[in-house]
């Protein structure tokens, strides 16, 4: 069992403080009872229904982005020093899914995904990253089929990105953790596109990264 034992160190406490702050700060501008929140969700839903395949593979569909309070940070280190282990153990301190039935003594039926952890696509592809995201939500919720509905190869990358943004807003995702970012270093793909999309999730949708 010694291989599964983790001794908390000062760096773990520092990362936990950052994760805790990021999750809570990220929700400040995403109140599900706010009219602005539903306006944004409706805008994303309209884009999703229109199946905007005419867009280029660049994510910039929102004309009126949210006043986001989300932030991001990265952990960089040599392979095997415990980056993934630290993050995974700290994430387990939070419930991954919360099913709400009321808020302030008023009915509020929402399924909230507090955090999602995915691995960056092995080929650095943004399209593959979107598919991994859809599959992760299906695995977490157990009764959805977003991978089949939204991850079809016929969908453009831009369309998948809109679906991804919509689901992030619909389920109030509190934190998105992307591991294995070194896969972006691939001569066949542009890491700039993927990084720009991740920044857009933070700035436009308000998902801490």
């Amino acid at each position: 069992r010694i291989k599964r034992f983790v001794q908390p160190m000062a760096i773990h406490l520092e990362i936990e403080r950052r994760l805790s702050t990021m999750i809570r700060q990220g929700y400040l501008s995403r109140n599900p009872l706010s009219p602005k929140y539903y306006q944004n969700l409706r805008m994303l839903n309209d884009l999703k229904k229109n199946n905007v395949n005419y867009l280029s593979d660049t994510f910039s569909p929102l004309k009126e982005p949210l006043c986001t309070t989300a932030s991001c940070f990265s952990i960089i280190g040599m392979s095997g020093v415990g980056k993934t282990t630290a993050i995974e153990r700290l994430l387990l301190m939070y419930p991954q899914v919360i099913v709400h039935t009321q808020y302030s003594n008023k009915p509020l039926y929402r399924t909230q995904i507090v955090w999602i952890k995915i691995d960056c696509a092995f080929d650095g592809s943004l399209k593959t990253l979107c598919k991994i995201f859809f599959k992760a939500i299906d695995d977490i919720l157990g009764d959805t089929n977003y991978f089949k509905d939204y991850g079809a190869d016929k969908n453009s990358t831009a369309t998948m990105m809109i679906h991804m943004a919509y689901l992030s807003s619909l389920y109030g995702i509190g934190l998105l953790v992307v591991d294995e970012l070194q896969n972006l270093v691939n001569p066949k793909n542009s890491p700039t596109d993927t990084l720009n999309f991740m920044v857009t999730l933070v700035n436009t949708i308000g998902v801490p990264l």
Side-chain angles (χ1 to χ4, degrees):
R1 294 195 299 271
I2 194 66
K3 287 184 175 294
R4 298 194 299 272
F5 173 75
V6 176
Q7 172 64 48
M9 298 185 293
I11 186 62
H12 294 100
L13 300 180
E14 175 62 24
I15 295 173
E16 195 284 326
R17 283 193 291 267
R18 293 194 181 195
L19 286 177
S20 176
T21 301
M22 286 178 64
I23 293 174
R24 289 163 172 78
Q25 287 288 330
Y27 280 127
L28 290 179
S29 62
R30 294 189 292 158
N31 184 351
L33 300 181
S34 168
K36 186 66 176 177
Y37 172 84
Y38 282 100
Q39 290 174 10
N40 183 73
L41 191 62
R42 190 179 303 112
M43 187 188 311
L44 285 169
N45 190 47
D46 290 342
L47 286 169
K48 183 171 67 73
K49 287 182 178 179
N50 291 336
N51 195 20
V52 286
N53 287 305
Y54 60 85
L55 288 176
S56 63
D57 286 344
T58 302
F59 184 80
S60 56
L62 294 184
K63 298 179 181 179
E64 298 179 5
L66 288 173
C67 180
T68 178
T69 54
S71 59
C72 62
F73 77 91
S74 60
I75 301 178
I76 302 174
M78 295 176 61
S79 177
V81 298
K83 302 184 298 297
T84 299
T85 298
I87 289 293
E88 289 179 345
R89 288 300 181 96
L90 291 172
L91 290 177
L92 290 177
M93 297 175 62
Y94 300 90
Q96 190 168 27
V97 178
I98 302 175
V99 179
H100 298 274
T101 57
Q102 66 175 7
Y103 177 77
S104 295
N105 297 322
K106 295 181 180 180
L108 177 66
Y109 298 97
R110 289 288 306 278
T111 298
Q112 173 191 0
I113 298 178
V114 179
W115 56 268
I116 290 182
K117 179 184 176 296
I118 61 176
D119 288 343
C120 185
F122 68 93
D123 56 358
S125 166
L126 183 54
K127 197 168 187 176
T128 306
L129 181 66
C130 292
K131 292 181 179 181
I132 294 173
F133 178 85
F134 300 144
K135 183 64 167 59
I137 291 185
D138 288 340
D139 292 341
I140 292 170
L141 299 180
D143 58 354
T144 59
N145 203 13
Y146 294 125
F147 178 77
K148 181 179 180 180
D149 294 341
Y150 300 152
D153 289 332
K154 64 179 181 180
N155 291 336
S156 68
T157 303
T159 299
M160 288 188 182
M161 291 160 72
I162 291 175
H163 293 319
M164 187 175 176
Y166 173 77
L167 294 177
S168 298
S169 185
L170 178 64
Y171 290 108
I173 295 176
L175 178 69
L176 176 61
V177 178
V178 183
D179 203 357
E180 306 297 345
L181 276 178
Q182 70 273 8
N183 291 341
L184 292 180
V185 185
N186 189 319
K188 296 181 180 179
N189 303 286
S190 172
T192 304
D193 291 341
T194 306
L195 290 176
N196 284 343
F197 171 60
M198 293 178 181
V199 172
T200 301
L201 276 180
V202 175
N203 294 337
T204 305
I205 310 302
V207 178
L209 177 69

